[in-house]
Amino acid sequence: MTTTLEYRNKITYLSFIMALLIIVRHSVGLDIYQEHITGGLYYIEFFTSHFTDVIVPVFFAISGYLFFQNFDYTKLKGKWYTRSRSLLVPFIIWNLIGFMFTWTLYQIPQIRNSINKPLPDYDVVTWFIDVFIKTQYNIAW
């Protein structure tokens, strides 16, 4: 019989492996450079791309399972609170950092002229939508 500690260790190991595979997935350039990749590298990229496509749905499934494990409506407020601290707060912080980084790059004339996308004229509503809804700056996230 599996103890709680052994179970948590298995989930932790699985999450670590999936995190590594997500890094591998993001390093695959097949969708961007498909016409330039040939030979054996193409097949490696193709296999890696398709093999790692399953990782995000597995993360969602594990998260959903863990959220509802030992679920009780009296614990719902606490679960939402911990999820907002562990997901929403880092999401907001990293998007703000991404926005500030991009904005800073646009302030340097030598770099601004090399960027192929103009910086929009920001009012408060446009800024809020770009940072929190469109998440233009989620590369750091």
Side-chain angles (χ1 to χ4, degrees), residues 82-92 141:
T82 59
R83 293 317 184 276
S84 66
R85 284 186 55 206
S86 65
L87 292 173
L88 186 60
V89 172
F91 174 79
I92 291 170
W141 172 247

Side-chain angles (χ1 to χ4, degrees), residues 13-101:
Y13 295 141
L14 181 61
S15 295
F16 177 74
I17 290 168
M18 289 189 309
L20 291 177
L21 288 174
I22 285 178
I23 293 169
V24 169
R25 173 65 179 116
H26 284 283
S27 69
V28 171
L30 187 63
D31 48 346
I32 298 171
Y33 303 109
Q34 186 167 3
E35 63 274 359
H36 301 293
I37 299 174
T38 59
L41 181 59
Y42 173 82
Y43 295 109
I44 292 170
E45 294 265 335
F46 183 83
F47 173 77
T48 304
S49 173
H50 287 73
F51 174 74
T52 55
D53 278 345
V54 73
I55 300 304
V56 173
V58 171
F59 259 129
F60 281 128
I62 289 174
S63 296
Y65 174 76
L66 293 175
F67 184 83
F68 289 105
Q69 185 182 24
N70 303 324
F71 183 77
D72 184 5
Y73 278 107
T74 59
K75 298 178 183 177
L76 185 60
K77 186 177 178 181
K79 282 184 177 275
W80 281 113
Y81 178 74
T82 59
R83 293 317 184 276
S84 66
R85 284 186 55 206
S86 65
L87 292 173
L88 186 60
V89 172
F91 174 79
I92 291 170
I93 290 170
W94 282 114
N95 279 326
L96 287 172
I97 290 171
F99 171 78
M100 292 305 296
F101 178 74

